[in-house]
């Protein structure tokens, strides 16, 4: 079976980064302190990760927890199940038998060397890598340049 590696980011930090990426790519955006783009669309039943109204800043883009819930790796009580849209297929048992390595993006830049090295060691064990995965090279992307629009800071 294929092993899955899933990296997630806090939805608010992801949303901020998404806004800043669009600003860095010179898209015309609402002001960073505007609430125009922080409300969901009128449909109310947008899927996970997309908006049925095709709004660039629909909050549904940051509903990562729904995709994780569909994997069926975490037991949900009745109160939690009521918070999940009915169109998602969430069962009581594991929906997939594949092993999943889940990490938070913040772990990649953890200043605590012990924790950061543990992440890479655990990931290596997960994929069957015989040694510690090399991770000393970092490459960042900061948009395409050009005039910078106002940045969101949350």
């Amino acid at each position: 079976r294929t092993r899955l590696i899933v990296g997630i980011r806090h939805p608010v930090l992801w949303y901020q980064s998404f806004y800043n990426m669009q600003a860095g790519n010179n898209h015309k955006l609402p002001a960073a302190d505007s609430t125009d783009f922080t409300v969901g669309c009128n449909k109310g039943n947008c899927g996970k990760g997309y908006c049925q109204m095709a709004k660039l800043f629909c909050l549904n883009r940051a509903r990562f927890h729904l995709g994780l819930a569909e994997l069926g790796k975490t037991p949900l009580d009745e109160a939690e199940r009521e918070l999940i849209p009915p169109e998602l297929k969430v069962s009581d048992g594991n929906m997939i038998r594949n092993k999943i390595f889940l990490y938070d993006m913040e772990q990649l830049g953890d200043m605590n060397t012990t924790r950061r090295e543990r992440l890479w060691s655990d990931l290596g064990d997960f994929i069957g890598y015989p040694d510690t995965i090399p991770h000393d090279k970092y490459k960042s992307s900061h948009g395409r340049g050009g005039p910078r629009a106002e940045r969101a800071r949350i």
Side-chain angles (χ1 to χ4, degrees):
R1 293 204 178 272
T2 301
R3 292 172 181 241
L4 305 174
I5 301 170
V6 178
I8 59 172
R9 190 172 196 182
H10 189 285
V12 173
L13 296 177
W14 177 86
Y15 208 71
Q16 172 185 306
S17 178
F18 182 69
Y19 179 92
N20 290 338
M21 178 187 74
Q22 299 302 325
N25 290 333
N26 300 315
H27 287 272
K28 187 173 191 256
L29 304 173
D33 61 353
S34 171
T35 58
D36 292 345
F37 59 86
T38 60
V39 293
C41 67
N42 296 334
K43 292 256 184 199
N45 61 349
C46 278
K48 62 183 184 301
Y50 66 90
C51 175
Q52 290 182 359
M53 302 283 292
K55 288 175 55 178
L56 184 61
F57 288 104
C58 181
L59 286 177
N60 288 309
R61 288 178 174 259
R63 291 170 42 167
F64 309 127
H65 62 289
L66 299 179
L68 293 173
E70 280 186 307
L71 295 174
K73 295 292 189 177
T74 305
L76 301 172
D77 63 27
E78 280 306 310
E80 291 168 319
R81 285 179 179 283
E82 289 179 21
L83 296 173
I84 294 178
E87 69 270 12
L88 296 182
K89 297 176 178 81
V90 178
S91 72
D92 289 330
N94 288 346
M95 291 197 64
I96 65 169
R97 292 181 289 187
N98 304 64
K99 291 185 178 185
I100 300 173
F101 186 90
L102 178 66
Y103 69 94
D104 185 303
M105 298 293 288
E106 294 290 317
Q107 290 178 275
L108 298 175
D110 194 336
M111 298 306 288
N112 180 306
T113 306
T114 304
R115 284 193 308 248
R116 188 177 60 243
E117 293 302 317
R118 177 68 188 264
L119 168 72
W120 290 104
S121 174
D122 289 349
L123 181 56
D125 290 344
F126 181 75
I127 64 172
Y129 192 77
D131 202 359
T132 300
I133 297 174
H135 58 278
D136 57 342
K137 294 196 171 47
Y138 175 75
K139 176 79 171 111
S140 177
S141 174
H142 296 289
R144 296 184 183 138
R148 294 284 184 189
E150 177 186 357
R151 299 292 209 193
R153 292 186 199 337
I154 299 175

